[in-house]
Amino acid sequence: MSDKSYYVTTPIYYVNDKPHIGHAYTTILADVLANYHRLLGVPTWFLTGTDEHGQKVQQAAEKNGLTPQQQCDQTVVRFQELWKRLEITNDDFIRTTEDRHKVIVQEVLQDLFARDEIYRADYQGWYCVGCERFFAEKDLVDGNCPECGRKVDAIQETNYFFRMSKYQDWLIDYIETHPEFIQPDFRANETLGFLKTKKLQDLCISRPKSRLAWGIELPFDKDFVTYVWFDALLNYITAIGYKRDDKKFNQWWPATHQLIGKDILTTHTVYWPTMLKAMNVPLPKTVFAHGWWLTGRTKMSKSLGNVVNPMEMVDRYGVDAFRYFLIAEMTLGQDASFTEEAFIRRYNSDLANDLGNLLSRTVNMLGRYCDGKFPKIGNSALDGAPEKELWDTVQQAVVEMESSIDTMRLNAGLTAVLTAVRKVNQYFEIKQPWTQSKEGKTEEVGITLALAAESLRVCAALLYPVMPEKMSVLRAAFGLGKPDPKLLRTFGVIKAGTAIKETTPLFPRVEFKNEEEKPVNTEPVKVEGVITYDEVMNVKLRTAKVLAAEKVEGADKLLKLQIEVGEEKRQLVAGIALHYTPEQVVGRTIVIVANLKPAKIRGVESQGMLLCASIGDQMKLITVDGELPATGAVVK
Ligand code: MSP
């Protein structure tokens, strides 16, 4: 690998498993990292694939009356289709049943056997079918598999072994002198702890065909096939031309990031490096182990029925939102919890309210106040203090995002971008382009909207690797194509006169029309007379100013009010005529329910509901204590 290339891999997934959120996560993470590097102009290679040999596939094939290869061919499609649906941009997809892999595995075995790195011996041990691994008696927990807790079978047979034990001291030293090799640090300590306290055994790398026929045949003994992990780990190099295409191999190897879940740490930080050492191949730069996705606080498992199906999530909420949630929610290395409720909360707040809304507001106002064209702004656009502050926050997001890729803290990078997005929303409240326009300050309106659009341009570029589809739509609104990282620090990229494109809401808010539509596994328990936080947050309370008021003819209790809510004008009918005259309410700041479905009251359209305090026959308007710079303020 040259310093300037990036090679990222995912584990190759067992083809008999149904893809779930865990598989989707590792693959999306690899995709996001690959996208960032491609965007930065770094030559990038992204590999994923499927692990197709072993007992589980053989058993599934027998059960379904298929050959093992037919079984694989049928089930591999589930992964390939999911990756397509999730906008995964892998450069290659390796299947361990392909000739390009099998032939090289055999060459590696032959070479290691010839050099006495592999030897034949009799073996007695305990075998776990689920994990496809042998364990020594002393490693069993209550007589069961130490990894998964299932029953193990006593096995006595002749097998072939890789001299892994002789590399124990070398491996300890390598890990200690290469802190970047196992990430995060605490995972390196986990492997070191194990290496320093237990004697490493030689690794059994064969299975007699009489017990398992579905595997790569040992080139030096036709009665045996290769142990599935020895076969599978080699995919990372067979796919890039090891022993066949030196140019390609040297361009990508050593891999930059080998992403794995914490469940397969030992195979990737003990078996894999010792295998490579024996083969005289350099080690990958970093094996990065992420944590588990849990359902709430519980491990996902088929028997508990709490496994999240990525396809369902994507069908319901869209690919980009799903990708965003997974990357934003998990602190790399630690476990994270998935609930549909948390998903919806983050979706509504980050994507629908903050980002999506900001785009709609900006596009609408450019349409209304700038004739739908990007305004011409001078060099002094960044002179004002609020402008400077906003642009600084946006630039801070650029810095944070760049460093978060290097340090694998992508969620922190996304937080910084969302902070910048919120800053633009605050900036609007300070500058009030709707007031600027009313006051005829055309140039100032132009600056305000240009600042917002330029900030959105940069934020969309930073979010592009995570949400390529939606961010393309966002950028297209300003006549922009694929982001260019060279322009992240430049102000004034959108050309004056660019026609602004109207967009449909990027992330429509997720509302539940009724209780049945709520996600089943996360439905809160209903308590009589109590409402949930989400229900409160669904009610949008806003301040408004009464611009004009008059009585509704033929209805003595009703006043018809013309109000201003932020940049919007609305009409509202309120039952306050017995307590307030029209003159008494004009000019007052009131509080309204802004997202009430419009209705006709006595034939008069009413868009919202005004809040009053009432006791007995007394009624008082709810108003704001003191002045706020604008109407439309959120009441919470
Ligand atoms: N075939 C082996 C890997 C061989 S790599 C040379 C394997 N396959 S697997 O289908 O079981 O996939 C394991 C990987 O899926 C984990 O390492 C992790 O990347 C991902 N996940 C599976 N379940 C997960 C969660 N609940 N949470 C997060 N990721 C997990 O092991």
Side-chain angles (χ1 to χ4, degrees):
M1 178 203 72
S2 81
D3 273 353
K4 295 224 158 18
S5 70
Y6 183 76
Y7 176 31
V8 62
T9 66
T10 73
I12 47 171
Y13 304 107
Y14 289 128
V15 78
N16 52 313
D17 270 354
K18 215 165 143 202
H20 60 74
I21 190 171
H23 306 121
Y25 175 70
T26 317
T27 314
I28 289 172
L29 177 62
D31 191 61
V32 168
L33 290 165
N35 280 344
Y36 272 117
H37 286 87
R38 288 191 193 110
L39 207 60
L40 293 168
V42 180
T44 296
W45 197 256
F46 165 17
L47 174 72
T48 188
T50 38
D51 192 351
E52 305 195 350
H53 290 121
Q55 200 138 331
K56 280 180 260 179
V57 173
Q58 183 171 302
Q59 283 167 349
E62 276 162 18
K63 199 171 114 208
N64 298 331
L66 299 170
T67 65
Q69 188 63 58
Q70 284 170 332
Q71 173 73 27
C72 294
D73 293 347
Q74 275 188 12
T75 43
V76 68
V77 186
R78 298 183 196 158
F79 284 91
Q80 289 169 331
E81 280 175 354
L82 178 63
W83 301 156
K84 237 187 255 156
R85 184 88 171 87
L86 293 178
E87 299 178 19
I88 302 298
T89 58
N90 52 304
D91 296 289
D92 195 359
F93 186 99
I94 184 137
R95 301 179 56 187
T96 52
T97 50
E98 287 175 86
D99 278 344
R100 61 166 172 159
H101 175 74
K102 291 194 291 190
V103 171
I104 307 295
V105 171
Q106 287 186 323
E107 282 183 30
V108 169
L109 286 163
Q110 185 65 56
D111 175 53
L112 293 178
F113 187 61
R115 291 196 286 112
D116 193 38
E117 294 281 351
I118 289 176
Y119 63 94
R120 185 185 159 112
D122 290 333
Y123 179 81
Q124 264 189 343
W126 297 92
Y127 186 70
C128 172
V129 178
C131 298
E132 306 207 11
R133 277 177 66 183
F134 280 104
F135 295 97
E137 175 113 33
K138 65 176 172 38
D139 293 330
L140 302 182
V141 176
D142 300 331
N144 293 320
C145 171
E147 293 285 330
C148 69
R150 273 176 288 196
K151 180 177 141 304
V152 284
D153 300 324
I155 284 196
Q156 188 166 27
E157 63 193 19
T158 299
N159 262 311
Y160 286 86
F161 293 84
F162 163 50
R163 294 193 191 279
M164 188 161 74
S165 61
K166 76 175 189 192
Y167 294 109
Q168 183 156 10
D169 292 340
W170 165 81
L171 184 56
I172 292 174
D173 182 62
Y174 188 90
I175 296 172
E176 286 182 335
T177 51
H178 295 79
E180 75 290 353
F181 173 50
I182 307 175
Q183 287 289 323
D185 297 354
F186 63 92
R187 296 281 175 222
N189 292 336
E190 218 174 289
T191 299
L192 277 177
F194 155 79
L195 285 172
K196 285 179 170 176
T197 50
K198 284 195 178 140
K199 172 129 184 48
L200 202 54
Q201 306 289 315
D202 285 346
L203 181 66
C204 178
I205 55 104
S206 65
R207 300 289 179 262
K209 274 192 188 165
S210 52
R211 184 154 63 79
L212 169 71
W214 186 234
I216 301 176
E217 194 176 271
L218 293 190
F220 40 83
D221 193 334
K222 308 237 165 305
D223 292 335
F224 291 85
V225 295
T226 316
Y227 166 46
V228 69
W229 270 102
F230 196 91
D231 153 5
L233 286 161
L234 288 168
N235 90 87
Y236 301 130
I237 57 176
T238 60
I240 51 165
Y242 177 59
K243 282 181 180 284
R244 283 292 178 278
D245 183 346
D246 287 351
K247 189 162 168 271
K248 184 171 177 185
F249 182 67
N250 292 328
Q251 185 184 0
W252 304 117
W253 194 259
T256 328
H257 281 139
Q258 297 217 261
L259 307 178
I260 59 166
K262 64 180 184 182
D263 51 324
I264 52 179
L265 186 71
T266 310
T267 49
H268 282 79
T269 60
V270 179
Y271 298 5
W272 183 221
T274 51
M275 283 165 65
L276 288 168
K277 175 70 180 161
M279 290 157 62
N280 291 316
V281 173
L283 269 48
K285 188 169 161 261
T286 296
V287 171
F288 193 101
H290 63 70
W292 283 99
W293 278 99
L294 310 172
T295 300
R297 293 201 190 139
T298 324
K299 194 170 167 181
M300 286 185 197
S301 86
K302 274 185 217 156
S303 52
L304 287 177
N306 63 355
V307 179
V308 177
N309 178 342
M311 283 284 200
E312 274 174 24
M313 287 294 122
V314 168
D315 286 345
R316 242 177 270 170
Y317 306 107
V319 183
D320 285 36
F322 181 63
R323 290 171 58 109
Y324 175 80
F325 178 82
L326 293 189
I327 301 297
E329 193 77 9
M330 187 178 258
T331 300
L332 268 170
Q334 286 159 28
D335 290 346
S337 152
F338 189 99
T339 64
E340 204 162 342
E341 223 170 19
F343 179 96
I344 293 167
R345 202 173 301 134
R346 193 183 264 282
Y347 174 98
N348 277 343
S349 79
D350 290 8
L351 299 179
N353 285 2
D354 294 338
L355 181 59
N357 225 354
L358 176 62
L359 176 68
S360 310
R361 290 177 91 188
T362 310
V363 166
N364 285 345
M365 287 194 275
L366 280 164
R368 204 172 313 156
Y369 307 138
C370 304
D371 288 335
K373 298 223 169 55
F374 198 75
K376 194 166 163 31
I377 43 163
N379 291 337
S380 57
L382 288 179
D383 284 357
E387 283 71 23
K388 230 182 255 149
E389 201 182 312
L390 172 59
W391 192 245
D392 280 353
T393 311
V394 172
Q395 289 305 305
Q396 191 53 37
V398 175
V399 174
E400 280 278 327
M401 186 48 105
E402 281 175 356
S403 83
S404 80
I405 300 163
D406 293 337
T407 53
M408 291 287 241
R409 288 164 51 253
L410 291 175
N411 58 334
L414 292 185
T415 304
V417 180
L418 259 290
T419 303
V421 165
R422 289 185 191 114
K423 191 85 186 169
V424 188
N425 279 317
Q426 288 161 13
Y427 173 72
F428 273 154
E429 299 315 315
I430 296 168
K431 300 300 284 192
Q432 298 190 35
W434 46 94
T435 314
Q436 290 174 325
S437 162
K438 222 185 309 168
E439 292 167 357
K441 297 177 179 162
T442 323
E443 204 188 320
E444 285 177 27
V445 180
I447 291 178
T448 306
L449 295 179
L451 242 296
E454 282 283 312
S455 304
L456 266 171
R457 167 182 68 80
V458 176
C459 291
L462 298 175
L463 295 174
Y464 180 86
V466 182
M467 299 188 282
E469 195 185 301
K470 295 288 183 185
M471 292 308 99
S472 299
V473 175
L474 191 162
R475 292 176 59 85
F478 304 111
L480 300 164
K482 228 179 155 168
D484 176 352
K486 287 194 286 300
L487 299 175
L488 289 174
R489 292 178 164 82
T490 313
F491 180 77
V493 170
I494 308 172
K495 291 200 178 62
T498 301
I500 305 301
K501 227 162 90 197
E502 293 269 327
T503 54
T504 48
L506 264 196
F507 300 102
R509 225 186 127 75
V510 176
E511 313 272 7
F512 298 110
K513 290 189 206 80
N514 54 44
E515 284 299 306
E516 284 110 70
E517 279 187 37
K518 284 202 173 180
V520 179
N521 61 344
T522 56
E523 174 135 5
V525 181
K526 267 273 171 209
V527 180
E528 196 65 36
V530 171
I531 61 171
T532 64
Y533 178 81
D534 277 359
E535 283 167 314
V536 176
M537 293 324 278
N538 277 341
V539 181
K540 285 191 186 152
L541 299 178
R542 298 281 182 275
T543 62
K545 193 167 199 146
V546 183
L547 304 174
E550 61 182 293
K551 291 204 154 184
V552 174
E553 244 175 75
D556 15 353
K557 288 187 183 159
L558 299 181
L559 283 189
K560 181 167 85 177
L561 312 178
Q562 305 303 327
I563 60 171
E564 179 199 71
V565 191
E567 63 231 50
E568 235 185 283
K569 302 266 186 316
R570 290 194 189 190
Q571 173 170 290
L572 190 144
V573 176
I576 54 172
L578 297 180
H579 307 274
Y580 290 91
T581 64
E583 292 73 27
Q584 283 173 321
V585 291
V586 172
R588 305 286 300 267
T589 297
I590 56 172
V591 176
I592 65 158
V593 178
N595 59 341
L596 186 69
K597 194 171 164 206
K600 286 216 161 131
I601 302 177
R602 294 285 183 99
V604 183
E605 170 94 357
S606 181
Q607 303 153 323
M609 176 198 279
L610 158 158
L611 296 190
C612 282
S614 114
I615 192 161
D617 61 0
Q618 299 268 334
M619 182 182 273
K620 295 286 175 204
L621 284 178
I622 304 271
T623 61
V624 178
D625 176 21
E627 283 292 305
L628 278 168
T631 61
V634 177
V635 179
K636 48 188 177 180

